[in-house]
Amino acid sequence: MSKKQTTGLIAAAIIFVAVGVISVLTNALSSKLAQKEGDKAVSGFESFMNGLYGDDSLALADMPTARDFIAVVPVEGTIQASDNSNSIYGTTDGYNHNLLMQYVDKLIDNNYNKGIVLRMDTPGGTVYEADELYLKLKEYKEKTNRPIWAYMQSYCCSGGVYIASVADEEYANRITTTGSIGVIMSNYDMSGLYEKLGIKEVNIVSAKNKDMGSSGKPLTDEQKAIYQSVVDEYYEQFVEIVAEGRDMSVADVKKLADGRIYTAKQAVENGLIDGIKTSEEFNDYVKQKSGVDYFYEPSQTGGYLSGLFGSIASAKEKSESEVLVDLMNHLGSGVPMYYAEPIGK
């Protein structure tokens, strides 16, 4: 471990001790105050801790309630479920599904909101979360009749394209990578390695396909067909979503939806987006179309300590076995995904 990493861990330990002392003192004080002021002291303590560790509700607390605004909804990083169990460490990927769902719900009820800008910078992600956010945004349009614009930054692939299809208009930077319309389910067959190591996986199952996808056993032809049927169903849904959003036929979308990526110029030529603009040009365009010049975006949800612990956690050196496990979990989860692996990742 490097000197820098050691220093960071020592600093973290000191902060943990300090927070522990503060916690004890604050609890003692809040107990006395609670006798006089009821729950006010407890709520104050919770606010203090939320400020340290982060809380989704705080991120939306400054949403405008007295002036018209366009809401920026950032869809950044891998689209996936929020991991609340590890919230103390923050998120290294930037995507917070729970927050975005809450955000859109609040926008529906906020009459000062005059539209949404989806800021897309994602390789896609899990089928479930991509579809859930898409449906929530569609609910927003149906209930409010307000416009949605999508702007693609460095890349907007697969599940990102799925979500962006809800927008009334889609634009991209000239160096944006988009496309990758399709579905992938990945797993690892490690039976050969197990055999060399003298390991044999034994599963007691209720039926022959109960343990399909296990890394210790190769898939049978029947099991491959089962997985393929799942992929095909989600693929058809994806194609229909894009066809509806882009006012194209399903047949025309399928010609483009073989999993390949497209440059922004190619996407325009194929009807997948409406045009190419710089970020400044796009913002000016939205202001002109909406008549609103104020853009609102939620603050970061991580508190002071969550950001620090996240940095320390990411600095920790991993063993070769940990790297392998991470790779298997990332690529071989067996979960259906609208996902494109970014080059160089």
Side-chain angles (χ1 to χ4, degrees):
M1 183 177 293
S2 68
K3 182 178 180 180
K4 183 178 180 180
Q5 292 169 335
T6 302
T7 303
L9 290 174
I10 293 174
I14 294 173
I15 293 173
F16 265 119
V17 173
V19 171
V21 173
I22 293 172
S23 177
V24 171
L25 293 176
T26 307
N27 274 325
L29 178 61
S30 64
S31 296
K32 293 181 179 180
L33 293 176
Q35 296 175 0
K36 299 180 179 180
E37 302 184 25
D39 294 333
K40 291 183 179 180
V42 177
S43 63
F45 176 67
E46 290 176 349
S47 297
F48 167 73
M49 295 305 292
N50 285 337
L52 289 177
Y53 292 109
D55 179 76
D56 286 353
S57 62
L58 296 180
L60 303 173
D62 60 344
M63 183 183 294
T65 56
R67 64 180 298 186
D68 292 346
F69 68 98
I70 298 295
V72 177
V73 177
V75 183
E76 302 173 337
T78 302
I79 300 161
Q80 57 190 342
S82 302
D83 186 1
N84 295 325
S85 64
N86 291 323
S87 59
I88 188 173
Y89 296 108
T91 174
T92 60
D93 204 24
Y95 183 82
N96 187 328
H97 186 72
N98 290 345
L99 174 62
L100 293 185
M101 296 293 288
Q102 293 175 36
Y103 185 16
V104 178
D105 274 331
K106 288 182 178 294
L107 291 174
I108 291 174
D109 296 329
N110 190 319
N111 291 328
Y112 287 97
N113 170 247
K114 301 304 177 183
I116 284 176
V117 165
L118 298 174
R119 192 179 67 211
M120 312 297 301
D121 199 357
T122 174
T126 55
V127 165
Y128 180 83
E129 278 70 29
D131 187 59
E132 189 172 45
L133 182 56
Y134 168 84
L135 292 175
K136 179 59 66 177
L137 291 164
K138 194 169 184 179
E139 177 187 349
Y140 167 91
K141 288 180 65 175
E142 292 171 350
K143 287 185 175 181
T144 67
N145 291 316
R146 301 171 199 157
I148 296 179
W149 296 270
Y151 185 70
M152 303 175 181
Q153 296 184 305
S154 59
Y155 55 103
C156 177
C157 293
S158 208
V161 174
Y162 190 104
I163 292 171
S165 296
V166 76
D168 299 282
E169 297 180 70
E170 301 178 52
Y171 293 91
N173 188 280
R174 67 180 184 177
I175 48 82
T176 295
T177 300
T178 186
S180 188
I181 299 171
V183 188
I184 183 172
M185 291 181 70
S186 300
N187 214 321
Y188 280 92
D189 176 8
M190 303 186 71
S191 56
L193 175 62
Y194 286 4
E195 185 176 353
K196 289 182 179 181
L197 296 175
I199 300 172
K200 185 176 181 180
E201 181 174 330
V202 178
N203 297 320
I204 309 302
V205 297
S206 57
K208 61 181 179 180
N209 291 318
K210 183 60 180 175
D211 62 349
M212 68 181 198
S214 170
S215 62
K217 296 181 179 181
L219 291 173
T220 65
D221 290 341
E222 179 185 12
Q223 291 168 349
K224 289 179 182 178
I226 292 172
Y227 278 130
Q228 187 64 55
S229 69
V230 174
V231 168
D232 291 345
E233 180 177 329
Y234 292 145
Y235 172 76
E236 292 294 333
Q237 178 174 294
F238 196 164
V239 169
E240 290 172 4
I241 290 294
V242 175
E244 179 184 353
R246 298 305 304 162
D247 195 22
M248 299 169 65
S249 69
V250 169
D252 285 342
V253 173
K254 283 189 175 182
K255 293 177 183 177
L256 306 172
D258 61 0
R260 75 181 66 189
I261 58 174
Y262 295 96
T263 65
K265 182 179 178 181
Q266 292 168 345
V268 171
E269 292 171 349
N270 287 296
L272 293 175
I273 62 175
D274 294 289
I276 298 173
K277 296 180 184 293
T278 65
S279 179
E280 292 77 12
E281 290 171 342
F282 174 76
N283 288 343
D284 289 341
Y285 177 75
V286 172
K287 290 177 183 178
Q288 179 185 355
K289 292 280 288 187
S290 66
V292 178
D293 61 3
Y294 179 65
F295 289 73
Y296 166 78
E297 181 176 354
S299 60
Q300 294 293 323
T301 60
Y304 302 111
L305 293 187
S306 68
L308 174 62
F309 294 145
S311 298
I312 295 172
S314 63
K316 179 181 178 294
E317 295 179 353
K318 293 185 177 182
S319 66
E320 292 180 0
S321 60
E322 288 175 320
V323 171
L324 179 59
V325 170
D326 285 348
L327 181 62
M328 290 178 61
N329 289 337
H330 180 61
L331 296 178
S333 63
V335 175
M337 299 185 75
Y338 299 136
Y339 186 80
E341 181 68 26
I343 296 174
K345 293 291 185 180

